[in-house]
Amino acid sequence: MDLQQQYELEKLFKTKLHQAMRFYLETCTHCGLCVDSCHVYNSMPELRYTAVGRSEVVRKIFIKYFKMQGKIAPWLGETMEMDEFVLDKFYEAAFSCTGCRRCMVHCPFGIDTQQIMSIAKLLLVGADKEPKILSMLSDMSINKGEQVEESRAQYAEAIKNIEPEVEAIWPTPPGKKTIPLEVEHADVLYVALSGKHSIISAAAIFNAADINWTLSSFEAVNFGAFLGDPQRTKKIGNRIIAEATRLKVKTVAIVECGTAFRIMKQQFGKLPFEVVTFVELIAKYHQEGKIKLNKVMTEKVTYHDPCQIARNAGVYEAPRYILNQLSDDFVDMIPNREENWCCGGGGGLVAAGDFEFRMKSSKVKADQMKKTGATVVATACENCHSQLHDVCGYYNTNQHVEFISHLAAQGLAK
Amino acid sequence: MALLSMLSMIPFALNAATAETLAADAAQVVDAVAEASVVAEPTGFGIVLDKIEYFILIPWVYLSIAFMIFGIIYRLVSIYRAPKTPFSLKIYSSKKESPLSAWNDTFMLPQVRRNKPFFWISLMIFHISGVLLILGHLDILPTISILSEDSKHMIGAGLVGVGFTLPLFHFLFRRFKTPIREITVPADFLLIVLVLFLALFGDMISWGNSWTANGFITTKQKFAEYFQALATFNFENPRYYIWSPHYHFLVIHVALANLFFMLVPFSKIVHAFFAMPINKLRRK
């Protein structure tokens, strides 16, 4: 790596040094209390898979380039030069971390490893060493935002084609559209994913509750966040904000996708609309008597708290409330809520590939699921669903994974 | 002679009267040795040593404390001058949170208590003892009287120092164990060793004071003179008013303390100042 590139990466590093990041980088006492927090370390006990092990790679560069100690006594902190080896270490650290922030719960200071890993991810983007699949998916999302007008008719046609599947679950109220698009002043703008499964159940529930809703033209998932590129993250999120603002909606309901929800709720500042995850709306509609749910589930069911919806956004009880309406045999995983083990697929790991790593690092999750004795694992996040589905197969847990919205749609009653 | 008479008494059974005589004799010995040493002006290398010890006990104390204060201010200002974090970094607890949650996280370490209870006990004893040690040192100043001025003991009569020291051994030894060993850098070892030796010399002074009639090193009242001199910017050589045969132990303790002060802003000890703001980030 030449000096010019080192300098460019140093400049990029500096852009991430906001107040919180400075605290995170300067406070760790190497107490090691975060070591046991990571699901990867618990499944594959190697230091590089601990929160502190990952953070230290970034911290050593920080001390080297931004602290006096790095200039006069680098040996004290075993600092490292920015070079190809360090970039490989960054990759290993950043893309073995799902950003679940369980370590943050156990750290006596609350150091956010996900934030520290965002530096590693940004520098990988700067060095053109990021997982290319994530930058490609991010750019596709951005392009879609830029060309939305050209593709609108085609999109409407595709949506029309799935309406019969919604009707099969719940008949559309008279005078209403099954899947409304571009409705100004709608109560809810529902932001789905690109797969139709994320639209059908939600549309049936909205229609059953007789809600004035509209479907977004965009997919909720923010690959820019997985990639760790703040500019792409912003561009992808801004598409939805612009649409919601243009349509003057009251609420933006994010599909069962943890990262999309947390990014929109927490990282875009104050917005002119409320941001909720769809499972909160299902629970709310039931509590308000707008929908009824039958106890249609005959199998024992458990719930996996998606990190970005539960620990990192505070939605703990709504999914449990819904499951208790659908089943008499709900059992919580242990540990659960803010202590729940990550599925192992967050932080872009599902999209970025490396199936073997994802599976091996999720052994602790498989054990936790098996111990519940449940045959159905419900969750409220697309990433978790994909990962847990793979984990169930890999570890032969004899369980199947279901979305909360899908189970709720099946339980809709007159 | 007094010392010889003291030693000659040891084989015999001690009754109250002989114990009293022994204590009085010991006090005389300490005073006599101390006075004799002061009278003798340093010569040769003693002059250099005296100048070094003077520097450690007076000017370096001011310099290190000033360095620490400016260092901490510099660290905090440099962090707070950085751009504000543009989004929430909150972690959501499933239990009810209160405005005091960050205080609880900072001072009660509930995460550690739940997951590593033995380490928590060690941490709590260490930190509580640390606070009491600060109070104990302030109490030496004649203007601050937590204990009565004629008390020969510091707060805790040495127990606080021991409470501070034992956990340090725990902190040190756990660094030799996997996986903590692998995450430890040289700075971590050096810092613990520094604080450990600082504490051990402090223990000799405070706890040792309860071992003999006149104190192991010197009396608390003598320390008060030294602290008062520091507080009033009296640059007189302390050798002339707090001399004792163990004067050099005090000098080493102060030298280690000076090093500690200078390291506070630029080492992991700075977590003492960062723990609260960083814990607030988790809760807001």
Side-chain angles (χ1 to χ4, degrees), chain A residues 17-20 22-24 26-33 36 47 52 75-76 78 101 104-110 112 115 266 311-314 316 337-338, chain B residues 75 78-80 82-85 87-94 111-112 115-116 174-175 179-180 182-183 185-188 190 268 271 274 277-279 281-282:
Chain A
L17 294 178
H18 50 74
Q19 284 178 13
R22 292 286 302 269
F23 278 124
Y24 293 150
E26 300 195 23
T27 308
C28 179
T29 56
H30 300 151
C31 68
L33 288 166
D36 296 327
L47 183 74
V52 61
W75 57 273
L76 275 173
E78 294 176 345
R101 299 166 97 219
M104 196 174 171
V105 175
H106 295 160
C107 171
F109 305 112
D112 186 345
Q115 275 299 303
Q266 293 193 336
R311 182 185 304 120
N312 298 328
Y316 290 118
R337 295 176 172 82
E338 70 264 46
Chain B
R75 289 293 300 273
S78 69
I79 288 181
Y80 281 109
K84 279 199 169 168
T85 312
F87 40 77
S88 167
L89 293 162
K90 185 174 162 66
I91 279 276
Y92 289 78
S93 172
S94 56
Q111 324 80 357
V112 190
N115 297 308
K116 304 274 179 197
R174 72 190 289 275
R175 291 224 168 262
I180 310 299
E182 285 81 5
I183 59 174
V185 294
D188 300 325
L190 289 174
K268 303 295 179 195
H271 76 262
F274 290 0
I278 195 174
N279 262 309
L281 289 169
R282 173 162 55 180

Coordinates of all heavy atoms in Angstrom, one line a residue, chain A residues 17-20 22-24 26-33 36 47 52 75-76 78 101 104-110 112 115 266 311-314 316 337-338, chain B residues 75 78-80 82-85 87-94 111-112 115-116 174-175 179-180 182-183 185-188 190 268 271 274 277-279 281-282:
Chain A
L17 N -14.9 9.8 13.1 CA -14.6 10.1 14.5 C -15.5 11.1 15.2 O -15.1 12.2 15.5 CB -13.1 10.5 14.6 CG -12.1 9.4 14.3 CD1 -10.6 10.0 14.3 CD2 -12.2 8.2 15.2
H18 N -16.7 10.8 15.3 CA -17.7 11.6 16.0 C -17.5 11.3 17.5 O -16.7 10.5 17.9 CB -19.1 11.4 15.5 CG -19.5 10.0 15.4 ND1 -19.8 9.2 16.6 CD2 -19.7 9.1 14.4 CE1 -20.2 8.0 16.2 NE2 -20.1 7.9 14.9
Q19 N -18.3 12.1 18.3 CA -18.1 12.0 19.8 C -18.2 10.6 20.3 O -17.3 10.1 21.0 CB -19.1 12.9 20.5 CG -18.8 14.4 20.4 CD -19.9 15.2 21.0 OE1 -20.7 14.7 21.8 NE2 -19.8 16.5 20.8
A20 N -19.3 9.9 19.9 CA -19.5 8.6 20.5 C -18.3 7.6 20.1 O -17.8 6.8 20.9 CB -20.8 8.0 20.0
R22 N -15.3 8.4 19.4 CA -14.1 8.7 20.2 C -14.2 8.0 21.6 O -13.2 7.5 22.1 CB -13.9 10.2 20.4 CG -13.6 11.0 19.1 CD -12.2 10.7 18.6 NE -11.2 11.2 19.6 CZ -10.7 12.4 19.7 NH1 -11.0 13.3 18.8 NH2 -9.8 12.7 20.6
F23 N -15.3 8.1 22.2 CA -15.5 7.5 23.5 C -15.3 5.9 23.3 O -14.6 5.3 24.2 CB -16.9 7.7 24.1 CG -17.0 9.0 24.8 CD1 -18.0 10.0 24.4 CD2 -16.2 9.4 25.8 CE1 -18.1 11.2 25.1 CE2 -16.3 10.6 26.5 CZ -17.2 11.5 26.1
Y24 N -15.9 5.4 22.3 CA -15.8 3.9 22.1 C -14.3 3.5 21.9 O -13.9 2.4 22.4 CB -16.6 3.5 20.9 CG -18.1 3.6 21.1 CD1 -19.0 3.8 20.0 CD2 -18.7 3.5 22.4 CE1 -20.3 4.0 20.2 CE2 -20.0 3.7 22.6 CZ -20.9 3.9 21.5 OH -22.2 4.0 21.7
E26 N -11.6 5.1 22.9 CA -10.6 5.5 23.9 C -10.9 5.0 25.3 O -10.2 5.3 26.2 CB -10.6 7.1 23.9 CG -10.2 7.7 22.6 CD -9.8 9.1 22.6 OE1 -9.4 9.6 23.7 OE2 -9.8 9.8 21.6
T27 N -12.0 4.2 25.4 CA -12.4 3.9 26.8 C -12.1 2.4 27.1 O -12.0 2.1 28.3 CB -13.9 4.2 27.0 OG1 -14.1 5.5 26.7 CG2 -14.2 4.0 28.5
C28 N -12.0 1.5 26.2 CA -11.9 0.1 26.5 C -10.7 -0.2 27.4 O -9.6 0.3 27.2 CB -11.7 -0.7 25.2 SG -11.5 -2.5 25.5
T29 N -11.0 -1.0 28.5 CA -9.9 -1.3 29.4 C -9.4 -2.7 29.3 O -8.6 -3.2 30.1 CB -10.4 -1.1 30.9 OG1 -11.5 -1.9 31.1 CG2 -10.7 0.3 31.2
H30 N -9.8 -3.4 28.2 CA -9.5 -4.8 27.9 C -9.8 -5.7 29.1 O -9.1 -6.6 29.5 CB -7.9 -4.9 27.7 CG -7.5 -4.1 26.5 ND1 -6.2 -3.6 26.4 CD2 -8.1 -3.7 25.4 CE1 -6.1 -2.9 25.2 NE2 -7.3 -3.0 24.6
C31 N -11.0 -5.4 29.7 CA -11.4 -6.3 30.8 C -11.9 -7.6 30.4 O -11.9 -8.6 31.1 CB -12.6 -5.6 31.6 SG -14.1 -5.4 30.7
G32 N -12.3 -7.7 29.1 CA -12.7 -9.0 28.5 C -14.1 -9.5 28.8 O -14.4 -10.6 28.6
L33 N -14.9 -8.6 29.4 CA -16.2 -9.0 29.8 C -17.1 -9.2 28.6 O -18.2 -9.8 28.7 CB -16.9 -8.0 30.7 CG -16.3 -8.0 32.1 CD1 -16.7 -6.7 32.9 CD2 -16.7 -9.2 32.9
D36 N -17.5 -13.4 26.1 CA -18.5 -14.5 26.1 C -19.8 -14.0 25.5 O -20.8 -14.8 25.3 CB -18.8 -15.0 27.5 CG -17.6 -15.6 28.1 OD1 -16.8 -16.2 27.4 OD2 -17.4 -15.5 29.4
L47 N -10.1 -15.8 19.5 CA -10.1 -14.4 20.0 C -10.6 -13.5 18.9 O -11.2 -12.5 19.2 CB -8.7 -14.1 20.4 CG -8.6 -12.6 20.9 CD1 -9.1 -12.5 22.3 CD2 -7.1 -12.2 20.9
V52 N -14.0 -7.6 21.6 CA -12.7 -6.8 21.8 C -11.7 -7.2 20.8 O -10.9 -6.3 20.3 CB -12.2 -7.0 23.3 CG1 -11.9 -8.5 23.6 CG2 -11.0 -6.2 23.6
W75 N 4.6 0.6 20.8 CA 4.7 -0.8 21.3 C 3.8 -0.9 22.5 O 3.3 -2.0 22.9 CB 6.1 -1.1 21.7 CG 6.7 -0.1 22.7 CD1 7.3 1.1 22.3 CD2 6.7 -0.2 24.1 NE1 7.7 1.8 23.5 CE2 7.4 1.0 24.6 CE3 6.2 -1.1 25.0 CZ2 7.5 1.3 25.9 CZ3 6.4 -0.8 26.4 CH2 7.0 0.4 26.8
L76 N 3.5 0.2 23.2 CA 2.6 0.1 24.4 C 1.2 -0.5 24.0 O 0.6 -1.2 24.8 CB 2.4 1.5 25.0 CG 3.5 1.9 26.0 CD1 3.3 3.4 26.4 CD2 3.5 1.1 27.2
E78 N 0.7 -2.0 21.0 CA 0.9 -3.0 19.9 C 0.2 -2.5 18.6 O -0.5 -3.2 18.0 CB 0.5 -4.4 20.3 CG 1.3 -5.0 21.4 CD 0.8 -6.4 21.9 OE1 -0.4 -6.7 21.5 OE2 1.5 -7.0 22.6
R101 N -24.9 -6.3 18.6 CA -24.7 -5.4 19.7 C -25.0 -6.1 21.1 O -25.3 -5.5 22.0 CB -25.5 -4.1 19.6 CG -25.1 -3.3 18.4 CD -26.1 -2.2 18.1 NE -25.7 -0.9 18.6 CZ -26.6 -0.1 19.2 NH1 -27.8 -0.4 19.3 NH2 -26.2 1.1 19.6
M104 N -22.6 -5.1 23.6 CA -22.8 -3.8 24.2 C -23.6 -3.9 25.5 O -23.5 -3.0 26.4 CB -23.5 -2.9 23.1 CG -23.5 -1.4 23.4 SD -24.3 -0.6 22.0 CE -24.4 1.0 22.7
V105 N -24.4 -4.9 25.5 CA -25.2 -5.1 26.8 C -24.3 -5.5 27.9 O -24.5 -5.1 29.0 CB -26.3 -6.2 26.5 CG1 -27.1 -6.5 27.8 CG2 -27.3 -5.8 25.4
H106 N -23.3 -6.3 27.6 CA -22.4 -6.8 28.6 C -21.2 -5.9 29.0 O -20.6 -6.1 30.0 CB -21.9 -8.2 28.2 CG -23.0 -9.2 28.1 ND1 -22.9 -10.4 27.4 CD2 -24.3 -9.2 28.6 CE1 -24.1 -11.0 27.5 NE2 -24.9 -10.3 28.2
C107 N -20.9 -5.0 28.1 CA -19.7 -4.2 28.3 C -20.0 -3.2 29.5 O -21.1 -2.5 29.4 CB -19.4 -3.4 27.1 SG -18.1 -2.1 27.3
P108 N -19.2 -3.1 30.5 CA -19.5 -2.1 31.6 C -19.6 -0.7 31.1 O -20.1 0.2 31.8 CB -18.3 -2.3 32.6 CG -17.4 -3.2 31.9 CD -17.9 -3.8 30.7
F109 N -19.0 -0.4 29.9 CA -19.1 1.0 29.4 C -20.1 1.1 28.3 O -20.5 2.2 27.9 CB -17.7 1.4 28.9 CG -16.6 1.3 29.9 CD1 -15.6 0.4 29.7 CD2 -16.6 2.1 31.0 CE1 -14.6 0.3 30.6 CE2 -15.6 2.0 32.0 CZ -14.6 1.1 31.8
G110 N -20.6 0.0 27.8 CA -21.5 0.0 26.7 C -20.9 0.4 25.3 O -21.4 1.1 24.5
D112 N -19.9 0.2 21.6 CA -20.7 -0.3 20.5 C -19.8 -0.9 19.4 O -19.2 -0.1 18.6 CB -21.6 0.8 20.0 CG -22.5 0.4 18.9 OD1 -22.4 -0.8 18.4 OD2 -23.5 1.1 18.6
Q115 N -20.5 0.0 15.8 CA -20.0 1.3 15.4 C -18.6 1.2 15.0 O -18.1 1.8 14.0 CB -20.2 2.3 16.5 CG -21.6 3.0 16.5 CD -21.9 3.7 15.2 OE1 -21.1 4.6 14.9 NE2 -22.9 3.4 14.6
Q266 N -34.0 5.1 13.6 CA -33.0 5.8 14.5 C -31.9 6.6 13.8 O -31.3 7.4 14.4 CB -32.3 4.7 15.3 CG -33.2 4.0 16.3 CD -32.4 3.2 17.3 OE1 -31.3 2.8 17.0 NE2 -32.9 3.0 18.5
R311 N -33.4 -5.8 20.7 CA -32.3 -5.2 21.5 C -32.0 -3.7 21.0 O -31.8 -2.8 21.8 CB -31.1 -6.0 21.4 CG -29.9 -5.5 22.2 CD -28.7 -6.4 21.9 NE -28.9 -7.8 22.2 CZ -28.8 -8.7 21.3 NH1 -28.4 -8.5 20.1 NH2 -29.0 -10.0 21.6
N312 N -32.0 -3.5 19.7 CA -31.6 -2.3 19.2 C -32.7 -1.3 18.8 O -32.5 -0.2 18.3 CB -30.7 -2.5 18.0 CG -29.4 -3.3 18.4 OD1 -29.0 -3.1 19.5 ND2 -28.9 -4.1 17.5
A313 N -34.0 -1.7 19.0 CA -35.1 -0.8 18.7 C -36.2 -0.9 19.7 O -37.2 -0.2 19.6 CB -35.6 -1.0 17.3
G314 N -36.1 -1.9 20.6 CA -37.1 -1.9 21.7 C -38.4 -2.6 21.5 O -39.3 -2.5 22.3
Y316 N -40.2 -5.6 21.9 CA -40.1 -6.9 22.5 C -41.4 -7.6 22.7 O -41.6 -8.8 22.5 CB -39.5 -6.8 24.0 CG -38.1 -6.4 24.0 CD1 -37.7 -5.2 24.6 CD2 -37.1 -7.2 23.5 CE1 -36.3 -4.8 24.7 CE2 -35.7 -6.9 23.6 CZ -35.4 -5.7 24.2 OH -34.0 -5.3 24.3
R337 N -35.1 -11.7 24.6 CA -35.1 -10.2 24.6 C -33.7 -9.7 24.4 O -33.0 -10.1 23.5 CB -35.8 -9.7 25.8 CG -37.3 -10.1 25.9 CD -38.0 -9.7 27.1 NE -39.5 -9.9 27.0 CZ -40.1 -11.0 27.2 NH1 -39.4 -12.1 27.6 NH2 -41.4 -11.1 27.1
E338 N -33.2 -8.7 25.3 CA -31.9 -8.1 25.0 C -30.8 -9.1 25.1 O -29.7 -8.8 24.7 CB -31.7 -6.9 25.8 CG -31.5 -7.1 27.3 CD -32.7 -6.9 28.1 OE1 -33.8 -7.5 27.7 OE2 -32.7 -6.2 29.1
Chain B
R75 N -8.4 16.1 27.0 CA -9.1 14.9 26.4 C -10.6 15.1 26.2 O -11.2 14.8 25.2 CB -8.9 13.7 27.3 CG -7.5 13.1 27.4 CD -7.0 12.5 26.0 NE -7.8 11.4 25.6 CZ -7.7 10.1 26.0 NH1 -6.7 9.8 26.8 NH2 -8.4 9.1 25.6
S78 N -11.3 17.7 23.5 CA -11.0 17.2 22.1 C -12.2 16.2 21.7 O -12.5 16.2 20.5 CB -9.7 16.5 22.0 OG -9.7 15.3 22.8
I79 N -12.7 15.5 22.7 CA -13.8 14.6 22.3 C -15.1 15.4 22.1 O -15.8 15.2 21.1 CB -14.1 13.5 23.4 CG1 -12.9 12.5 23.3 CG2 -15.4 12.8 23.2 CD1 -13.0 11.4 24.3
Y80 N -15.4 16.4 23.0 CA -16.6 17.1 22.8 C -16.6 18.1 21.6 O -17.6 18.6 21.2 CB -17.0 17.8 24.1 CG -17.7 16.8 25.1 CD1 -17.0 16.4 26.2 CD2 -18.9 16.3 24.8 CE1 -17.6 15.4 27.0 CE2 -19.5 15.4 25.6 CZ -18.9 14.9 26.7 OH -19.4 14.0 27.5
A82 N -15.4 17.1 18.8 CA -15.7 16.3 17.6 C -17.1 16.4 17.2 O -18.0 16.8 18.1 CB -15.3 14.8 17.9
P83 N -17.5 16.1 15.9 CA -18.9 16.3 15.5 C -19.8 15.4 16.4 O -19.4 14.3 16.8 CB -18.9 15.7 14.1 CG -17.5 15.8 13.7 CD -16.6 15.7 14.9
K84 N -21.0 15.9 16.7 CA -21.9 15.2 17.5 C -22.4 13.9 16.8 O -22.4 13.9 15.5 CB -23.2 16.0 17.8 CG -22.9 17.0 18.9 CD -24.2 17.5 19.5 CE -24.0 18.2 20.8 NZ -25.0 18.9 21.3
T85 N -22.6 12.9 17.5 CA -23.1 11.6 16.9 C -24.5 11.9 16.3 O -25.4 12.3 17.0 CB -23.1 10.5 18.0 OG1 -21.9 10.5 18.6 CG2 -23.3 9.2 17.3
F87 N -26.9 10.1 15.4 CA -28.1 9.2 15.6 C -28.0 8.6 16.9 O -27.0 8.7 17.6 CB -28.2 8.2 14.5 CG -26.8 7.6 14.1 CD1 -26.2 6.7 14.9 CD2 -26.2 8.0 13.0 CE1 -25.0 6.2 14.6 CE2 -24.9 7.5 12.6 CZ -24.3 6.6 13.4
S88 N -29.1 7.9 17.3 CA -29.2 7.3 18.6 C -28.4 6.0 18.6 O -28.5 5.2 17.7 CB -30.6 7.0 19.0 OG -30.7 6.2 20.1
L89 N -27.7 5.7 19.7 CA -26.9 4.4 19.8 C -27.5 3.6 21.0 O -26.8 2.8 21.6 CB -25.5 4.7 20.0 CG -24.8 5.4 18.8 CD1 -23.5 6.0 19.1 CD2 -24.6 4.3 17.7
K90 N -28.7 3.9 21.3 CA -29.4 3.3 22.4 C -29.5 1.8 22.3 O -29.7 1.2 21.2 CB -30.8 3.9 22.5 CG -31.6 3.5 23.8 CD -32.9 4.3 23.8 CE -33.9 3.7 24.7 NZ -33.5 3.7 26.1
I91 N -29.4 1.1 23.5 CA -29.7 -0.3 23.6 C -31.0 -0.3 24.4 O -31.1 0.4 25.4 CB -28.6 -1.0 24.3 CG1 -27.4 -1.4 23.4 CG2 -29.1 -2.3 25.0 CD1 -27.6 -2.6 22.6
Y92 N -32.0 -1.1 24.0 CA -33.2 -1.1 24.8 C -33.3 -2.2 25.8 O -33.1 -3.4 25.5 CB -34.4 -1.3 23.8 CG -34.6 0.0 22.9 CD1 -33.7 0.2 21.9 CD2 -35.6 0.9 23.2 CE1 -33.9 1.4 21.1 CE2 -35.7 2.1 22.5 CZ -34.9 2.3 21.4 OH -35.0 3.4 20.7
S93 N -33.6 -1.8 27.0 CA -33.7 -2.8 28.1 C -35.2 -3.3 28.1 O -36.1 -2.5 27.8 CB -33.4 -2.2 29.4 OG -33.7 -3.1 30.4
S94 N -35.4 -4.6 28.4 CA -36.8 -5.0 28.5 C -37.3 -4.7 29.8 O -38.5 -4.8 30.0 CB -36.8 -6.6 28.2 OG -36.0 -7.2 29.2
Q111 N -24.3 -5.3 34.7 CA -23.9 -6.3 33.7 C -22.9 -7.2 34.2 O -22.9 -8.4 34.0 CB -23.4 -5.6 32.4 CG -24.0 -4.3 32.0 CD -23.4 -3.1 32.8 OE1 -22.6 -3.3 33.7 NE2 -23.8 -1.9 32.4
V112 N -21.9 -6.7 34.9 CA -20.8 -7.5 35.5 C -21.3 -8.4 36.6 O -21.0 -9.5 36.7 CB -19.6 -6.6 36.0 CG1 -18.4 -7.4 36.3 CG2 -19.3 -5.5 34.9
N115 N -23.1 -11.4 35.1 CA -22.4 -12.3 34.3 C -21.1 -12.8 34.9 O -20.7 -14.0 34.7 CB -22.1 -11.7 32.9 CG -23.3 -11.4 32.2 OD1 -24.2 -12.3 32.0 ND2 -23.5 -10.2 31.7
K116 N -20.4 -12.0 35.7 CA -19.2 -12.4 36.4 C -19.2 -11.9 37.8 O -18.5 -10.9 38.2 CB -18.0 -11.7 35.6 CG -17.9 -12.0 34.2 CD -17.1 -13.3 33.9 CE -17.1 -13.6 32.4 NZ -16.8 -14.9 32.0
R174 N -5.4 -12.3 36.4 CA -6.4 -12.7 35.3 C -5.9 -12.4 33.9 O -6.3 -12.9 32.9 CB -7.8 -12.2 35.6 CG -8.0 -10.7 35.3 CD -9.3 -10.3 35.9 NE -10.5 -10.7 35.0 CZ -10.9 -10.1 34.0 NH1 -10.3 -9.0 33.5 NH2 -12.0 -10.5 33.3
R175 N -4.9 -11.4 33.9 CA -4.4 -11.1 32.6 C -3.4 -12.1 32.0 O -3.0 -12.1 30.9 CB -3.6 -9.7 32.7 CG -4.5 -8.6 32.9 CD -4.2 -7.3 32.1 NE -5.2 -6.4 32.1 CZ -6.2 -6.2 31.2 NH1 -6.2 -7.0 30.2 NH2 -7.2 -5.3 31.4
P179 N -8.9 -16.0 27.8 CA -8.5 -15.2 26.6 C -8.0 -13.8 27.0 O -7.7 -13.0 26.1 CB -9.8 -15.2 25.8 CG -10.8 -15.2 26.8 CD -10.3 -16.0 28.0
I180 N -8.0 -13.5 28.3 CA -7.7 -12.1 28.6 C -6.2 -11.8 28.3 O -5.8 -10.7 27.9 CB -7.9 -11.8 30.2 CG1 -9.3 -12.3 30.6 CG2 -7.7 -10.4 30.5 CD1 -10.4 -11.6 29.9
E182 N -4.6 -12.8 25.7 CA -4.4 -12.4 24.3 C -4.9 -11.0 24.0 O -4.5 -10.4 23.0 CB -5.2 -13.4 23.4 CG -4.5 -14.8 23.3 CD -4.8 -15.7 24.5 OE1 -5.6 -15.3 25.4 OE2 -4.2 -16.8 24.5
I183 N -5.8 -10.5 24.8 CA -6.3 -9.1 24.5 C -5.5 -8.0 25.3 O -5.7 -6.9 25.1 CB -7.8 -8.9 24.8 CG1 -8.1 -9.2 26.2 CG2 -8.6 -9.8 23.8 CD1 -9.6 -8.9 26.6
V185 N -2.4 -5.7 26.2 CA -1.2 -5.1 25.5 C -0.2 -4.7 26.6 O -0.6 -4.6 27.8 CB -1.6 -3.9 24.6 CG1 -2.5 -4.4 23.5 CG2 -2.4 -2.9 25.4
P186 N 1.0 -4.4 26.3 CA 2.0 -4.0 27.3 C 1.5 -2.9 28.2 O 1.8 -2.9 29.4 CB 3.2 -3.6 26.5 CG 3.1 -4.4 25.2 CD 1.7 -4.5 24.9
A187 N 0.8 -1.9 27.6 CA 0.3 -0.8 28.4 C -0.5 -1.3 29.6 O -0.5 -0.7 30.7 CB -0.5 0.2 27.6
D188 N -1.3 -2.3 29.4 CA -2.2 -2.8 30.5 C -1.4 -3.4 31.6 O -1.7 -3.1 32.8 CB -3.1 -3.9 29.9 CG -4.0 -3.5 28.8 OD1 -4.4 -2.3 28.8 OD2 -4.3 -4.2 27.9
L190 N 1.8 -2.7 32.3 CA 2.6 -1.6 33.0 C 1.7 -0.8 33.9 O 2.2 -0.5 35.0 CB 3.3 -0.7 31.9 CG 4.4 -1.4 31.1 CD1 4.9 -0.5 30.0 CD2 5.6 -1.7 32.1
K268 N -5.7 4.0 30.3 CA -7.0 3.5 30.5 C -7.7 4.0 31.7 O -8.9 3.9 31.9 CB -7.0 2.0 30.6 CG -6.3 1.3 29.4 CD -7.1 1.5 28.1 CE -6.5 0.9 26.9 NZ -7.0 1.3 25.6
H271 N -10.9 6.1 31.9 CA -12.3 5.6 32.0 C -13.0 6.2 33.2 O -14.3 6.2 33.2 CB -12.4 4.1 31.9 CG -12.0 3.4 33.2 ND1 -10.8 2.9 33.5 CD2 -12.7 3.1 34.3 CE1 -10.8 2.3 34.7 NE2 -11.9 2.5 35.2
F274 N -14.7 9.0 31.6 CA -15.5 8.7 30.4 C -16.6 7.7 30.7 O -17.6 7.6 29.9 CB -14.6 8.0 29.3 CG -13.6 9.0 28.7 CD1 -13.5 10.3 29.0 CD2 -12.7 8.5 27.7 CE1 -12.6 11.1 28.5 CE2 -11.8 9.4 27.1 CZ -11.7 10.7 27.5
P277 N -20.3 9.5 30.6 CA -20.9 9.9 29.2 C -21.0 8.7 28.3 O -22.0 8.7 27.5 CB -19.8 10.9 28.7 CG -18.7 10.8 29.6 CD -19.1 10.3 30.9
I278 N -20.2 7.8 28.3 CA -20.3 6.6 27.4 C -21.5 5.8 27.8 O -22.2 5.3 26.9 CB -19.0 5.8 27.3 CG1 -19.0 4.9 26.1 CG2 -18.7 5.0 28.5 CD1 -17.6 4.2 25.8
N279 N -21.7 5.6 29.1 CA -22.9 4.8 29.5 C -24.2 5.5 29.1 O -25.2 4.9 28.9 CB -22.8 4.5 31.0 CG -22.2 3.2 31.3 OD1 -22.7 2.2 30.7 ND2 -21.2 3.1 32.1
L281 N -24.7 7.1 26.5 CA -25.0 6.8 25.0 C -25.8 5.6 24.9 O -26.7 5.5 24.0 CB -23.7 6.6 24.3 CG -22.8 7.8 24.0 CD1 -21.4 7.4 23.5 CD2 -23.5 8.8 23.1
R282 N -25.6 4.6 25.8 CA -26.3 3.4 25.7 C -27.8 3.5 26.1 O -28.6 2.7 25.8 CB -25.6 2.4 26.6 CG -26.3 1.1 26.8 CD -25.4 0.0 27.3 NE -24.7 0.3 28.5 CZ -23.9 -0.5 29.1 NH1 -23.7 -1.7 28.6 NH2 -23.3 -0.2 30.2

